[in-house]
Amino acid sequence: MSVSCKYWVIGMCLISFPLFSQTVYLELNLNEDRSSNPFARSKQPLEIFRVIEKAANDDKIKGIILNIGSISRDRDYLWELRNALEKFKANGKKICAFISYADMDVYCLASVADKIVMDELGTLNILGYSMNRGYVKQTLEKLGIGVRELRYFEYKSAAETYTRDSMSDADRRQYNDYLDDIFSLTRSTLVKGRNWTEEEFNTVLSQFLYSAKSALSRNLVDYTGRKEAVLEALKELEGAENKNFTLYGDFSSSLTASETTYNPPKAGGFFRRPPVIAVVYAEGETDMERGMAALSLSRTIRDLADNRRVKAIVLRINSPGGSAEAADYLAQAVSYAKQKKPVVASMGYVAASGGYWAAMNANHIMATPYTITGSIGVIGSWFYDNGLNSKLGLKTESLKRGEHSDLLTGIILPYRDLTRYEEERYKSYILDVYNLFVEKVAAGRGMNADKVEAAAQGRIFSGTRALESGLIDSIGSLSDALRTARDLAQILENTSVRYEEFPKPKFMDRLLNRFPLILKLFKRSSQNNTWTVFSDFLLPDAHIRYRLEKNGQIMPILPLDFSVK
């Protein structure tokens, strides 16, 4: 073969191989399909953010097709994702978003794109924001369950669910402040992203419901259709037809059906072991055994602190609180760890009450603007038999030694309410725990106790107001928290880093979580007592049952409405 023929063959091979093309688009498919594999684990934000960061620095990737046709995530995560995509665009790259059913938050994410394509049978709802409180006072009364609210702080409203039929003035104020903050941020983001005026935004909001046809006519989207419409949008962006794609995410719901897979970056190799940044997920109630499982998670944090390869720890918190003891186990583990290496707390959807307690000792606390945080306070509630036993044909009789020895006596629930003296003893105890909470926040944050008290009394904050109050150090995403941890650990810019996630999932846990019936039978067999049987039947909501199981305990906890989704 002549030299010229050899060059011709090599040239043709290079042209036909997509990764050598100058117009490769990454389809970032964030729709999850576990129908073929029920044990598949939902991808944590860390992996997705690292893929975006890799693509931003990859000269072969010219843009992203953001496939969010059926994404379902909390708005704090969608904000983090949009933040990462803004940084991607800052490198001069393009984004085309595909939506099908989109609410205001998903549409806000899509607005980061240069072009938005909407499925021709899709729906767009721009409803705005609302926060709702549920109240079960009348339900408990009908069941014959009495409840006393042990509340001594203005904004600590977790027990209102059981003692009121409507919002207290304090609750209304703090929820309105939170709504003002997040609505203002989303409005300004959409106005900027779609180049609207304030009046145009108000009109879009007032008309609220859009088919694909009406969304296109109102210039809310740029194209309607599916794959062909996406290709048309890319052609407009690039000035030429593009057929070269690579895929991150599920193949079955892909728009491009690319067989070329785009994976997160890897660190290290056969001959070197890169430094490690550990990402620890603390999710669910602050409970010793359930929820975030503070007993084992605190051991994990201490073990990571003692591991010399681990240079920093990022604690990702999603928690409405729960047990003060469990929250303090985590806070103390963080204190231990930060004596040896930097610890950065990254707050997700909610990190308040006991969730904030767990974070307060970190070197640096970061939240999204949408994070529900703060709620420095504790509360208790006392549930008792107010006719339940009579309705069920149950009777109880008590013999006692000691004036208060019958306080916990009863079938299913204590048979009586607290006396005035017993409530005063509870009040004294609650004030002790509250003052300790304030003191610990002041010590952990390096703040004056009076300044902490001004942001306490159980008041919730958006991330924005928490920053103004000194409860957090910065606004940012998980990616930003990783960057901060890297900087605090003084890891050089050109040094590769390995990110390791904890706790590692256990096979049995995944099995039980994927099959609710097995989980229910397992729980019944391991907690076979009278209360479990009756509470499952009478009160199917797990969060109400949790509060009843913790009857009389003093807890840093939010209302059940704020439980992690």
Side-chain angles (χ1 to χ4, degrees):
M1 183 183 292
S2 66
V3 173
S4 60
C5 288
K6 288 181 180 179
Y7 282 123
W8 181 84
V9 171
I10 293 172
M12 291 302 293
C13 289
L14 291 178
I15 291 172
S16 64
F17 190 62
L19 294 184
F20 284 89
S21 168
Q22 294 303 302
T23 56
V24 176
Y25 265 72
L26 165 63
E27 181 186 351
L28 190 65
N29 183 6
L30 301 183
N31 307 308
E32 295 183 347
D33 179 15
R34 291 195 286 268
S35 58
S36 60
N37 180 11
F39 296 101
R41 187 185 186 192
S42 296
K43 288 183 172 62
Q44 295 284 11
L46 173 59
E47 181 176 307
I48 296 169
F49 295 151
R50 293 188 66 220
V51 166
I52 296 172
E53 184 178 8
K54 176 185 175 182
N57 299 313
D58 189 339
D59 292 336
K60 296 186 292 295
I61 301 298
K62 294 303 176 183
I64 283 177
I65 299 171
L66 181 63
N67 187 352
I68 50 174
S70 59
I71 191 172
S72 179
R73 294 278 189 148
D74 293 325
R75 63 177 62 102
D76 64 288
Y77 170 76
L78 298 179
W79 177 87
E80 290 180 301
L81 190 56
R82 196 183 194 284
N83 198 37
L85 291 168
E86 284 277 17
K87 294 174 183 176
F88 173 86
K89 284 182 67 177
N91 286 15
K93 303 189 177 190
K94 302 294 185 181
I95 299 176
C96 175
F98 174 78
I99 62 174
S100 180
Y101 178 86
D103 60 11
M104 188 167 174
D105 293 313
V106 172
Y107 183 68
C108 187
L109 168 60
S111 72
V112 74
D114 299 280
K115 299 292 179 184
I116 300 177
V117 179
M118 183 173 175
D119 190 290
E120 60 186 353
L121 292 176
T123 304
L124 179 58
N125 280 309
I126 309 294
L127 297 175
Y129 291 142
S130 67
M131 293 190 71
N132 305 299
R133 287 294 309 270
Y135 302 94
V136 297
K137 176 186 176 183
Q138 293 185 28
T139 302
L140 296 179
E141 288 175 351
K142 290 179 179 180
L143 289 172
I145 297 175
V147 59
R148 178 181 293 274
E149 183 180 34
L150 301 171
R151 170 183 177 175
Y152 306 103
F153 309 109
E154 185 175 9
Y155 295 98
K156 198 65 183 172
S157 61
E160 286 189 9
T161 299
Y162 319 106
T163 61
R164 293 179 62 94
D165 290 323
S166 61
M167 286 186 186
S168 64
D169 291 341
D171 238 15
R172 194 174 299 276
R173 285 197 302 274
Q174 64 178 342
Y175 292 169
N176 275 324
D177 285 345
Y178 178 77
L179 281 173
D180 285 344
D181 290 346
I182 65 172
F183 182 73
S184 176
L185 175 61
T186 300
R187 176 178 57 200
S188 62
T189 302
L190 284 173
V191 165
K192 181 181 178 181
R194 295 300 292 176
N195 195 26
W196 292 339
T197 64
E198 291 285 341
E199 291 73 21
E200 287 173 323
F201 171 83
N202 291 335
T203 300
V204 168
L205 186 67
S206 67
Q207 296 181 359
F208 79 89
L209 180 62
Y210 300 90
S211 65
K213 181 180 178 180
S214 61
L216 183 64
S217 67
R218 288 304 310 262
N219 201 30
L220 303 183
V221 299
D222 303 291
Y223 290 87
T224 62
R226 292 170 188 158
K227 179 178 179 179
E228 294 75 14
V230 170
L231 294 178
E232 192 65 28
L234 295 183
K235 184 177 180 180
E236 181 182 346
L237 289 176
E238 294 296 331
E241 189 174 1
N242 183 77
K243 294 183 179 179
N244 299 314
F245 305 102
T246 183
L247 172 66
Y248 171 82
D250 178 56
F251 178 82
S252 63
S253 60
S254 166
L255 286 166
T256 63
S258 172
E259 296 182 357
T260 304
T261 303
Y262 200 78
N263 293 314
K266 295 182 179 180
F270 292 107
F271 303 106
R272 59 192 179 98
R273 302 177 71 191
V276 172
I277 292 180
V279 181
V280 179
Y281 296 96
E283 300 183 328
E285 295 96 344
T286 53
D287 194 274
M288 297 298 278
E289 303 292 343
R290 72 182 85 181
M292 62 174 61
L295 195 61
S296 62
L297 195 64
S298 61
R299 284 198 298 264
T300 297
I301 293 171
R302 290 174 182 271
D303 290 344
L304 292 170
D306 294 332
N307 188 328
R308 288 185 295 177
R309 285 190 59 225
V310 176
K311 303 303 179 185
I313 298 172
V314 173
L315 182 64
R316 176 70 168 190
I317 298 180
N318 254 324
S319 174
S323 160
E325 179 188 19
D328 200 57
Y329 261 71
L330 289 170
Q332 292 303 311
V334 169
S335 290
Y336 175 82
K338 79 173 185 179
Q339 295 175 25
K340 302 189 175 190
K341 58 200 59 172
V343 180
V344 177
S346 170
M347 294 178 166
Y349 163 63
V350 57
S353 207
Y356 183 80
W357 190 319
M360 64 188 177
N361 290 332
N363 296 88
H364 189 102
I365 302 178
M366 188 176 293
T368 78
Y370 296 97
T371 299
I372 299 166
T373 188
S375 193
I376 299 169
V378 292
I379 195 168
S381 49
W382 180 259
F383 296 90
Y384 61 94
D385 175 19
N386 193 30
L388 175 63
N389 283 352
S390 178
K391 292 175 185 291
L392 297 175
L394 302 173
K395 295 185 68 175
T396 182
E397 194 171 338
S398 178
L399 302 174
K400 65 179 184 177
R401 300 293 186 274
E403 185 178 353
H404 310 286
S405 62
D406 64 339
L407 190 59
L408 299 176
T409 301
I411 303 175
I412 305 176
L413 289 171
Y415 82 97
R416 68 173 177 85
D417 193 1
L418 300 174
T419 66
R420 181 175 298 179
Y421 175 76
E422 288 166 343
E423 184 177 353
E424 284 298 316
R425 294 300 300 154
Y426 263 105
K427 180 178 179 180
S428 177
Y429 177 48
I430 288 172
L431 292 175
D432 285 345
V433 176
Y434 173 75
N435 291 332
L436 184 62
F437 194 172
V438 171
E439 290 170 10
K440 284 177 175 285
V441 172
R445 297 292 299 154
M447 294 170 64
N448 182 280
D450 291 338
K451 187 175 181 181
V452 176
E453 177 64 33
Q457 293 286 321
R459 186 163 195 166
I460 66 163
F461 295 91
S462 66
T464 305
R465 295 197 190 219
L467 180 62
E468 295 170 356
S469 301
L471 298 183
I472 66 172
D473 298 293
S474 64
I475 296 293
S477 64
L478 178 59
S479 293
D480 297 322
L482 294 171
R483 168 57 59 183
T484 299
R486 183 181 180 124
D487 292 343
L488 291 175
Q490 299 182 337
I491 299 174
L492 296 178
E493 188 66 33
N494 60 350
T495 301
S496 61
V497 174
R498 183 182 300 279
Y499 299 98
E500 295 186 4
E501 297 175 280
F502 299 89
K504 303 295 185 183
K506 298 177 181 178
F507 174 78
M508 194 61 187
D509 290 339
R510 289 184 311 202
L511 178 65
L512 294 175
N513 286 332
R514 295 301 178 198
F515 295 96
L517 179 60
I518 297 177
L519 177 61
K520 196 163 188 176
L521 292 173
F522 178 81
K523 284 185 174 179
R524 285 281 178 86
S525 64
S526 62
Q527 299 177 353
N528 188 19
N529 56 58
T530 305
W531 169 242
T532 301
V533 174
F534 277 101
S535 66
D536 283 1
F537 174 72
L538 295 171
L539 296 168
D541 187 278
H543 306 298
I544 297 177
R545 292 205 308 273
Y546 179 78
R547 293 298 301 274
L548 286 166
E549 288 170 16
K550 302 296 182 181
N551 191 22
Q553 294 189 22
I554 308 308
M555 296 190 292
I557 193 168
L558 289 179
L560 61 89
D561 309 76
F562 291 122
S563 297
V564 178
K565 297 176 182 177

